[in-house]
Amino acid sequence: MSKTYSEGDHFKVRDIGLAEQGRMKMDWAESRMPVLMALREEHSKKQSLKGMRIAGCLHVTKETAVLVETLAAAGAEISWSGCNPLSTNDEVAAALAQAGISIYAWYGMNTEEFYWCIDKTLEMKPTLTLDDGADLIFSVHNRHPELAGTIIGGTEETTTGVHRLRAMARDGALKYPVIAVNDAETKWDFDNVFGTGQSSLDGILRATSVLLAGKNFVVAGYGHCGYGCALRADGMGANVIATEVKPTAALKAILHGHKVMCMDDAARVGDVFITATGMKDIIVGRHFEVMRDGAIVCNTGHYDCEINLEDLEEMAVSKRTIRDNCEEFTLRDGRRIYVLAQGRLVNLAAAEGHPSEVMDMSFANQFLSMVRLAEEGKDLEAGVHDIPEDQDQRIAGIKLATMDAGLDVLTPEQVAYLDDYAAGT
Ligand code: ARJ
């Protein structure tokens, strides 16, 4: 990989010369993100974020760029880094840098560079933080605690991050209010299901080009993300096998028409494996030991701990990159196992992440949460806060209006009927 960079006083990206291609990707995304664009129009007039300094740590994609430029249009000063070493789109990063946004992000960075980028974004002494995976909030708390005092609040995009922040809040360790964007219905019920389903299969197909019809497709974790992957793999004719630890989730998978097995059994029969659990060590040495020749293994969870690649490295006699984002490990007995995107989020590393249409709603929630924090964050207690219910309906309403759908309205009599406990049979 080329180790040259473009650097300026407000950015470090792979190649600023890619800005024009990045801008075209952003134009494409804007035309598919009507909710965020409506919010941009409204809040650029109101300047709702004037005086706010927002540090963001979230995958640098064309959709994120639309969010960034919406925050900037509303008056905020921005400093951004990516939240995964393999998810930055270098063209988009260049376009944002070209537009004057402070940004520190490039595809293929190492862990040290990852934290260097986060630290650069913190130099602005933010008033708000915006996270996906909570690495920025953790950095403030663990390495720059002196910054917490001037931070009004933050947001968190994803299940894994919200989970950890709730644990932190329970221990009394979280120093400022954080809004759980993930837990909005217009986020988890769309992004996590339909976004993950489509983009993960997109990543698998770009990295392998295999036929899915007739394959045994093992989904580890039948939460919202796993459900989305299963739904789409099933639609392409694969035989879906789910693995779970939670009885109700396992039961759902069965009633959706899938097989449920423990991983020790699924490992023997799977052709394609995807982990979507948020838990470490889902696929480990003893599973690789029994896999079929040619098995494909990938992850769509936030962190790269779900597939134990150290185990596989130890078992392999050779390794080569056979296609982009596809590494072939050959074991002692000659079996070959293919790992996609180094076990990192396959949908962002090997494809482009969720489509713009679905990120539109996730990022409308991010944007409105930033505005809420700017307006009333000082009155919110340290801890994890939910999105208000009316925000979900408002976002869904704007989205629906762009979709040629008709929506019925309850009459006053119908509204009264709902609560009428005198009316029975
Ligand atoms: C930015 C994306 C994209 C995309 O909202 C999703 C989530 O919860 C993630 C966990 O890290 C990934 C994030 N996501 C998916 N697709 N973020 N742009 N196109």
Side-chain angles (χ1 to χ4, degrees):
M1 178 171 296
S2 120
K3 282 289 175 206
T4 58
Y5 304 96
S6 295
E7 287 185 75
D9 57 358
H10 68 283
F11 67 89
K12 181 165 176 178
V13 298
R14 177 62 73 201
D15 178 3
I16 194 77
L18 300 171
E20 199 180 326
Q21 283 108 295
R23 179 55 61 182
M24 286 195 279
K25 289 212 158 91
M26 286 155 62
D27 289 346
W28 176 268
E30 278 185 3
S31 71
R32 283 159 179 75
M33 302 180 83
V35 183
L36 204 49
M37 294 308 283
L39 291 172
R40 183 184 292 185
E41 200 183 323
E42 179 189 339
H43 290 272
S44 59
K45 286 184 202 124
K46 290 188 189 158
Q47 287 295 289
S48 320
L49 294 173
K50 202 163 179 51
M52 290 295 125
R53 294 185 302 277
I54 301 176
C57 177
L58 191 147
H59 308 290
V60 179
T61 64
K62 58 191 185 303
E63 291 75 24
T64 300
V66 179
L67 170 63
V68 167
E69 292 202 329
T70 304
L71 294 166
E77 195 188 318
I78 317 276
S79 198
W80 211 265
S81 72
C83 68
N84 186 290
L86 292 189
S87 67
T88 293
N89 181 298
D90 288 323
E91 297 170 348
V92 168
L96 285 173
Q98 181 91 299
I101 300 287
S102 295
I103 179 159
Y104 305 90
W106 57 92
Y107 183 91
M109 60 175 48
N110 61 31
T111 307
E112 194 187 323
E113 291 167 329
F114 180 83
Y115 285 105
W116 179 86
C117 290
I118 288 185
D119 288 353
K120 285 302 282 183
T121 67
L122 287 173
E123 283 177 7
M124 73 170 347
K125 299 197 178 3
T127 56
L128 298 171
T129 61
L130 191 155
D131 257 284
D132 178 339
D135 280 322
L136 181 58
I137 295 181
F138 298 155
S139 293
V140 168
H141 283 71
N142 300 335
R143 295 184 296 111
H144 304 281
E146 72 286 355
L147 294 177
T150 44
I151 296 178
I152 300 168
T155 55
E156 170 52 48
E157 170 81 4
T158 205
T159 318
T160 302
V162 168
H163 197 92
R164 297 211 171 153
L165 291 168
R166 287 198 197 282
M168 221 169 146
R170 267 197 308 277
D171 289 349
L174 190 57
K175 292 193 177 141
Y176 56 84
V178 180
I179 298 181
V181 168
N182 179 73
D183 296 2
E185 192 181 351
T186 44
K187 199 284 182 179
W188 63 263
D189 215 9
F190 297 89
D191 173 313
N192 300 20
V193 178
F194 303 101
T196 308
Q198 179 164 326
S199 62
S200 301
L201 290 211
D202 188 7
I204 292 170
L205 294 179
R206 290 193 203 195
T208 65
S209 89
V210 291
L211 178 72
L212 288 180
K215 292 283 193 314
N216 289 339
F217 191 95
V218 180
V219 179
Y222 205 73
H224 303 117
C225 296
Y227 166 53
C229 294
L231 198 63
R232 293 299 173 243
D234 184 58
M236 292 187 78
N239 310 307
V240 174
I241 298 167
T243 73
E244 251 303 337
V245 290
K246 193 175 170 189
T248 48
L251 207 51
K252 269 186 211 162
I254 290 179
L255 268 60
H256 288 161
H258 313 311
K259 277 210 164 66
V260 172
M261 295 182 181
C262 51
M263 186 55 86
D264 284 344
D265 294 328
R268 297 175 186 279
V269 296
D271 298 302
V272 180
F273 295 81
I274 185 161
T275 53
T277 67
M279 179 50 65
K280 67 176 186 172
D281 290 337
I282 299 302
I283 297 180
V284 298
R286 71 174 191 279
H287 302 124
F288 295 122
E289 216 52 90
V290 297
M291 276 184 194
R292 289 178 171 175
D293 178 33
I296 294 165
V297 180
C298 66
N299 164 56
T300 194
H302 184 79
Y303 290 115
D304 63 339
C305 57
E306 305 204 17
I307 303 168
N308 193 322
L309 289 180
E310 290 89 58
D311 283 0
L312 185 58
E313 295 271 0
E314 260 175 40
M315 294 162 65
V317 291
S318 68
K319 175 173 118 170
R320 60 176 175 158
T321 301
I322 192 160
R323 301 165 50 94
D324 281 351
N325 288 305
C326 183
E327 274 187 317
E328 178 188 69
F329 290 78
T330 303
L331 308 185
R332 279 170 232 106
D333 59 6
R335 275 179 305 125
R336 291 154 300 177
I337 291 176
Y338 297 92
V339 175
L340 310 187
Q342 299 168 36
R344 295 194 185 272
L345 291 148
V346 69
N347 56 344
L348 280 138
E352 293 173 60
H354 304 353
S356 310
E357 291 87 341
V358 83
M359 294 313 296
D360 189 22
M361 294 197 288
S362 309
F363 286 165
N365 278 303
Q366 282 285 5
F367 181 81
L368 289 174
S369 300
M370 285 282 124
V371 172
R372 177 177 165 208
L373 286 169
E375 284 168 358
E376 53 185 80
K378 290 201 172 77
D379 304 326
L380 290 176
E381 280 173 24
V384 179
H385 297 262
D386 284 328
I387 298 261
E389 154 72 13
D390 62 339
Q391 182 169 311
D392 267 329
Q393 298 311 329
R394 186 177 157 211
I395 289 174
I398 306 175
K399 189 75 173 170
L400 213 51
T402 68
M403 290 179 142
D404 195 24
L407 196 63
D408 286 329
V409 180
L410 292 180
T411 62
E413 293 75 23
Q414 285 176 309
V415 172
Y417 173 80
L418 263 187
D419 292 338
D420 186 0
Y421 48 84
T425 306

